Amino acid sequence: MQVNEPFDISIHWSTPVDLDLCVFFRSRDGRVGGVFSDEFRSEPGDLGSLNNFPYILHMGDEKEPLPGKIGRELVKVGDPSIFDRLDVVVINYADAIDLLDVDYNDPCGGCTIVEQCIEAKPTGRGQAYHVATLSRGDDGALHVQPVNRILPLGEAYDSIPGFPLVCE
């Protein structure tokens, strides 16, 4: 799937945990960063902005869903043309901070990027759930590439541009 216009990224889950949707980026001019819950570093700018760079806005952290309910978080990407790469990552911060292996498998969970749904059935062990990478193709558009893998924090730190921000 290719993306040229503004789009949404959302996660949904049914397990009773507080999951956090993060979108990390590398812009075409080489800037690296991310948008994520403002509770990671307690900086309001971490939610991003649609009115200025990075033209991505996190719509806010939703805590764990009530029993029988679905939790949701949403990120809006206002100008995809400025990005070379976007990485969609989900973190259970409470467990990740203690370096516990997290099982992100959820029969009712998933991530929707534009209109493509990636079911929450990742492989691997670790703390950070790398859902997908969107990278610029030869045609100039961003292409969604599902990753669906759990990474140890160190591997996510080394391989995902912008991820070190949530480790500060």
Side-chain angles (χ1 to χ4, degrees):
M1 174 171 294
Q2 56 183 344
V3 184
N4 290 312
E5 301 296 323
F7 64 94
D8 293 344
I9 299 169
S10 64
I11 59 170
H12 52 277
W13 71 98
S14 63
T15 53
V17 296
D18 178 14
L19 297 181
D20 295 302
L21 173 60
C22 307
V23 178
F24 300 102
F25 62 80
R26 183 176 57 229
S27 68
R28 293 176 93 171
D29 66 4
R31 290 182 278 181
V32 172
V35 296
F36 39 83
S37 170
D38 55 350
E39 293 184 18
F40 280 105
R41 303 185 314 169
S42 299
E43 295 185 22
D46 289 340
L47 292 172
S49 171
L50 288 175
N51 298 319
N52 50 51
F53 188 81
Y55 305 101
I56 302 174
L57 180 62
H58 193 297
M59 302 305 292
D61 184 29
E62 181 174 321
K63 302 299 179 197
E64 63 185 64
L66 296 172
K69 301 293 182 185
I70 300 292
R72 300 182 190 282
E73 287 194 12
L74 174 68
V75 170
K76 295 183 168 288
V77 179
D79 187 359
S81 71
I82 64 173
F83 298 104
D84 198 30
R85 174 177 168 163
L86 297 167
D87 287 280
V88 179
V89 177
V90 176
I91 300 175
N92 170 340
Y93 188 72
D95 287 344
I97 200 165
D98 292 330
L99 295 178
L100 300 174
D101 283 348
V102 180
D103 179 4
Y104 289 95
N105 286 276
D106 183 339
C108 297
C111 176
T112 302
I113 303 170
V114 189
E115 296 177 4
Q116 180 176 345
C117 185
I118 300 168
E119 291 182 34
K121 295 183 179 180
T123 60
R125 296 178 60 89
Q127 297 78 38
Y129 173 21
H130 190 183
V131 178
T133 296
L134 290 82
S135 56
R136 191 153 307 281
D138 293 337
D139 61 359
L142 289 174
H143 294 262
V144 179
Q145 302 162 338
V147 176
N148 221 4
R149 188 161 166 252
I150 301 172
L151 306 174
L153 286 182
E155 186 176 341
Y157 188 97
D158 291 339
S159 65
I160 299 174
F163 189 87
L165 290 172
V166 297
C167 299
E168 292 180 347

